[in-house]
Amino acid sequence: MISRGVVSVLLIGCCCALSENYPFVSTSLGNITGVYEESYSDRIYSAFYSIPFAKPPVGELRFQEPQPISSWSGTWNASIKDIFCVQVVHTMKPGGDYIGDEDCLYLSVFVPNEDPGSIKEPLDVIVHVHGGAFMFGSANSYAGPAFLMDRDVILVTISYRLGVLGFLSTEDGVVPGNNGMKDQVLALKWIRDHIKSFGGNPESVTLTGLSAGGASVHLHYLSPLSRGLFARGVSFSGNALAPWVLQEEPLLKARMLGAQVGCAQQETKELVNCLKQRSTYQLVESVKILRPWLFNPFSPFGVVVEKGGDNRFLEEHPYLLLKNGKFYDVPWIISSTAEEGLYPAAEFATDHNYFKDLEERWLELAPFVLDYNYTVAAGKKDDVSKKIKRAYLKKKRISSETFRVFVDMMSDRLFCISAEIAAKMHAFQARSPVYFYYFAYLGDEIESFSIHFTKEDQRDGVSHGDDVMYIFSNPQTPIIPRLPHLDELMKEKLLNMLTSFSSTNVPHMSKVDWEPVGKRDPVKMLYIRNPKDMSMEKITKIERHRSMWASIPFAENEGLFPTAKDEL
C-alpha cells in the first residue's frame, strides 16, 4: 500500500513531463495527466486515476465533513491506481486484514478517447459507488473500465471514507454521522463542476452502485444534499431498506470503540478529541470487537438518521421518506440475483467447521449472521432464531447438504425482502419509472463475485454481484481475450441496458418489453435466465417465506412505524 507521503510526492509535480504518450486535460483546479489503456475490444482509452476531490480528511479534519479540494500548481499525475481508504478488508482471516490510508478521497475518470479535449458532443457519464458494506472496498476494487470503454460513455469511480472513519456518529452535533455519504456528495459535485473538461455531460449523470454502493444510490434519492447531482440511478443488489444499511446504537458503538483504545470520556466532544489522537490502525482494528464471529455482522458501522448538525445527509428514516414520497423523483433501476446470500455465505462453505459452528451455536450466532442483534428484543431472539431456521431447514442440520437452502435464508433476509418492499414503495410514490430485474444467469468464464471472498474457483449459484461482472470488468484479474458465446451475449445485453438507460431514461433489452414496477399490482421484474431467455415475471422466490418474515418483530422499517404501514 502506498503511504500518504509517497502519494503526495507522486501525484503533484510542478515539472511533470508531458508528451504524446499521456492523455492530458486542463481543469479549473489545474492540469491532469493520465495513462492510456486498452479496452476489451482493443480500443485505446484515457484513464485518469486517483484525482483528489477533497482535502485529506486527516488531523483536525478526521470525523469532519469533507472539504473541497484546492487548486494545485503544476500537473497532477493521475496514474496511481490503488489508494484504499483505511479499512479491515473482508478476507478469509477471521475479522479481516487491515489495509489503507486515511488520505483517500480520490476519484478516477475513464474516457473512451485518446484525446478528451477533442470530444465535440458531451458524453453521458456513469458514476460507480463501490460496495463493501460501508466497511471495505475501494473506487477501483470491483469496477473496471475495460467493458464500458467499448461504449461512448465516461466512467467515474469514487472513493469514500469507510467504517468508523466514515460512519462514526455521536448522535449529536459533534459528529452527526454519514461523513462517508457526504464524501460521495462532494464527489458528485466535483463531477458536476469538472467533468466537462473530460468530455462529459454534467446534465446526464447516471449514478450506479453495488451492494452498499447500491444502497448508497438509493439513499441519494432520499437526501436533500444530492438533489440535482444525478439524472437517474441503478442500485445493483442494494437498497435503503436493507437490514444492514442503517446503523443501530451508534453512540453506544462509539463508546465501545473509545473504551477499546483508551478513550472513556462521557462528553462526546471530549470523546471525539481523544479518538482523533489515536492512530488509524488502533481505531480500525478495534472494530473487530463488534464482530463476534468471522466477519459478521459485516456492517457494524453504517448510515444514521442525523440528530444534529446543519448539513444533514439523512433527515428522516428511509421508510418514512419513501412512504411519504419525499425523494428525488428520477428514474431508478433496482436488481437482485438468484443467490444473493452467497455473500457472505460462500465463506462458510470453505470450511465445514463453520457449518458445525453455525449448527451448534445457532442461537448465539444467528442474530449476527442475519443482522438482528440490535433489532429484536433480547428475550425474543432465541425464539426468532429457531423460527427462521425451522422455516427454511425444517429439522435438518446446517451442512454442505443444506447449504443452498441456507443461502436462500441469507438471500431473503439480507437482500431480497427489502428489495421488493423498496421497489414497491418507491414506485407507489414516484412519477418516474422504477425498473426491477432478477439475474439468474450462471456464466461460463466470467468469474463469480463470490470468488473475491472465498478465493476458490467454484460456482454455488448466481452470487450477489455477479451481474455487475458483465458491466464493470474485474480489475483484479486479467481480461479474458474473448469470452464464450453466451457470456459475450450477456455482457452486450447488460451494457446495452445501462447505456440506453443513461441516454434515454429507458433500459432496453432486445425483444423484451420491460415493464416498470406498477403502483398497486404485485411487483413484476425482468427475469434474466440467460441472454436468450428473458421475460416479465411476478416475484415468487420469497413467496413461501414472506409471511414468516413479516411476522417477526423486527424494530426496523415498518416495525418502527406500525401506524405508518401502507397496504400497497
Side-chain angles (χ1 to χ4, degrees):
M1 179 56 55
I2 300 171
S3 70
R4 181 167 65 250
V6 174
V7 168
S8 298
V9 171
L10 290 177
L11 292 185
I12 299 180
C14 294
C15 304
C16 179
L18 300 178
S19 76
E20 61 185 13
N21 295 322
Y22 302 95
F24 174 86
V25 295
S26 181
T27 75
S28 60
L29 291 171
N31 297 331
I32 306 172
T33 185
V35 293
Y36 288 123
E37 296 180 343
E38 288 189 7
S39 72
Y40 170 75
S41 296
D42 302 323
R43 183 182 196 177
I44 302 298
Y45 64 88
S46 301
F48 300 89
Y49 288 99
S50 302
I51 305 168
F53 65 84
K55 293 179 180 178
V58 300
E60 284 304 308
L61 292 183
R62 178 187 282 180
F63 302 128
Q64 301 302 306
E65 294 179 6
Q67 302 298 310
I69 190 70
S70 301
S71 59
W72 55 81
S73 58
T75 298
W76 194 273
N77 174 13
S79 63
I80 309 300
K81 293 185 180 183
D82 296 321
I83 300 178
F84 284 73
C85 285
V86 66
Q87 61 192 262
V88 172
V89 69
H90 192 164
T91 63
M92 294 300 293
K93 178 182 176 182
D97 286 322
Y98 174 91
I99 62 170
D101 201 304
E102 196 168 2
D103 176 2
C104 65
L105 297 184
Y106 300 88
L107 54 78
S108 298
V109 182
F110 305 95
V111 183
N113 193 295
E114 295 181 53
D115 178 13
S118 69
I119 296 173
K120 303 300 182 185
E121 193 70 29
L123 301 177
D124 296 322
V125 180
I126 294 171
V127 179
H128 191 71
V129 183
H130 72 79
F134 303 109
M135 299 297 295
F136 63 96
S138 74
N140 302 306
S141 289
Y142 314 123
F147 293 159
L148 264 175
M149 287 299 97
D150 284 329
R151 305 301 180 97
D152 290 330
V153 295
I154 286 175
L155 171 64
V156 184
T157 59
I158 66 177
S159 63
Y160 54 99
R161 282 172 286 177
L162 303 165
V164 60
L165 292 172
F167 294 93
L168 180 98
S169 171
T170 54
E171 299 190 60
D172 57 17
V174 177
V175 181
N178 296 334
N179 284 325
M181 300 306 301
K182 293 171 186 176
D183 294 342
Q184 296 179 23
V185 171
L186 188 57
L188 288 171
K189 289 180 177 178
W190 189 100
I191 293 164
R192 176 197 62 194
D193 296 340
H194 301 292
I195 202 64
K196 278 186 178 180
S197 300
F198 297 83
N201 180 2
E203 303 300 320
S204 183
V205 171
T206 303
L207 185 59
T208 74
L210 166 65
S211 195
S216 294
V217 170
H218 199 200
L219 288 162
H220 284 293
Y221 282 77
L222 307 180
S223 175
L225 303 187
S226 310
R227 298 287 193 275
L229 296 178
F230 62 102
R232 62 199 68 82
V234 185
S235 292
F236 300 104
S237 297
N239 67 86
L241 300 184
W244 42 268
V245 170
L246 285 190
Q247 178 185 170
E248 300 90 11
E249 300 287 355
L251 180 56
L252 173 63
K253 290 177 180 175
R255 294 196 187 286
M256 290 173 65
L257 196 76
Q260 191 73 6
V261 297
C263 295
Q265 294 85 347
Q266 288 302 301
E267 291 293 328
T268 56
K269 186 174 182 179
E270 294 178 3
L271 171 63
V272 170
N273 285 338
C274 183
L275 292 176
K276 285 183 177 180
Q277 297 172 32
R278 299 299 182 258
S279 71
T280 55
Y281 180 81
Q282 283 180 292
L283 293 177
V284 175
E285 275 284 314
S286 295
V287 173
K288 292 179 181 180
I289 66 171
L290 301 174
R291 290 196 175 110
W293 191 70
L294 301 180
F295 206 78
N296 298 279
F298 55 65
S299 184
F301 282 95
V303 178
V304 299
V305 178
E306 289 158 72
K307 297 180 180 179
D310 299 324
N311 190 40
R312 301 182 190 185
F313 176 82
L314 194 62
E315 297 176 335
E316 292 184 79
H317 193 286
Y319 182 87
L320 290 181
L321 293 170
L322 285 170
K323 183 197 177 290
N324 295 321
K326 296 168 69 174
F327 53 80
Y328 185 39
D329 197 346
V330 294
W332 184 42
I333 296 175
I334 180 172
S335 76
S336 289
T337 67
E339 281 79 38
E340 289 279 10
L342 280 170
Y343 181 77
E347 180 178 2
F348 309 158
T350 62
D351 186 336
H352 285 197
N353 286 323
Y354 294 154
F355 289 144
K356 181 181 178 182
D357 225 11
L358 283 165
E359 176 63 31
E360 295 178 354
R361 300 170 58 196
W362 178 248
L363 298 185
E364 173 193 350
L365 298 181
F368 300 106
V369 171
L370 295 174
D371 205 339
Y372 53 81
N373 185 53
Y374 292 95
T375 61
V376 171
K380 297 182 178 180
K381 284 182 190 176
D382 286 359
D383 288 340
V384 166
S385 300
K386 291 174 185 177
K387 184 174 185 177
I388 295 170
K389 186 170 183 283
R390 186 168 57 246
Y392 283 84
L393 288 106
K394 310 305 179 189
K395 296 182 180 180
K396 296 180 180 179
R397 297 174 60 85
I398 299 172
S399 66
S400 56
E401 286 73 31
T402 59
F403 178 61
R404 292 297 292 268
V405 180
F406 184 81
V407 169
D408 286 344
M409 176 201 300
M410 300 284 287
S411 300
D412 292 350
R413 166 60 181 162
L414 298 176
F415 301 102
C416 298
I417 297 286
S418 63
E420 178 183 355
I421 295 171
K424 197 171 185 178
M425 292 185 72
H426 196 121
F428 184 75
Q429 292 286 1
R431 296 183 302 276
S432 302
V434 173
Y435 298 93
F436 197 143
Y437 77 80
Y438 180 81
F439 189 77
Y441 172 62
L442 190 64
D444 292 324
E445 288 292 334
I446 289 187
E447 68 181 33
S448 173
F449 188 75
S450 62
I451 293 173
H452 281 289
F453 307 102
T454 66
K455 307 303 180 186
E456 295 187 2
D457 190 12
Q458 64 181 47
R459 295 175 186 266
D460 295 305
V462 183
S463 171
H464 178 72
D466 276 5
D467 50 339
V468 176
M469 306 296 276
Y470 295 84
I471 298 172
F472 303 102
S473 59
N474 182 0
Q476 300 179 32
T477 59
I479 296 296
I480 299 171
R482 197 57 56 209
L483 293 171
H485 176 63
L486 285 180
D487 283 7
E488 181 74 35
L489 281 179
M490 194 76 264
K491 172 180 72 70
E492 289 302 301
K493 287 185 182 294
L494 289 178
L495 287 173
N496 287 341
M497 174 200 73
L498 182 56
T499 55
S500 61
F501 185 58
S502 298
S503 60
T504 69
N505 287 333
V506 178
H508 293 293
M509 285 288 205
S510 58
K511 300 180 181 179
V512 180
D513 182 14
W514 189 352
E515 305 167 30
V517 175
K519 291 190 177 296
R520 291 192 177 274
D521 298 330
V523 175
K524 293 182 72 176
M525 59 190 178
L526 178 65
Y527 195 126
I528 303 174
R529 296 174 185 84
N530 64 61
K532 296 182 177 181
D533 185 2
M534 308 181 196
S535 60
M536 294 300 302
E537 304 280 349
K538 176 186 172 184
I539 291 179
T540 58
K541 186 167 184 179
I542 60 177
E543 195 72 42
R544 287 178 54 203
H545 302 296
R546 185 184 283 111
S547 60
M548 184 276 295
W549 288 110
S551 72
I552 294 176
F554 292 124
E556 303 166 2
N557 298 327
E558 69 271 17
L560 292 171
F561 313 101
T563 59
K565 188 173 181 179
D566 246 348
E567 294 299 328
L568 298 181

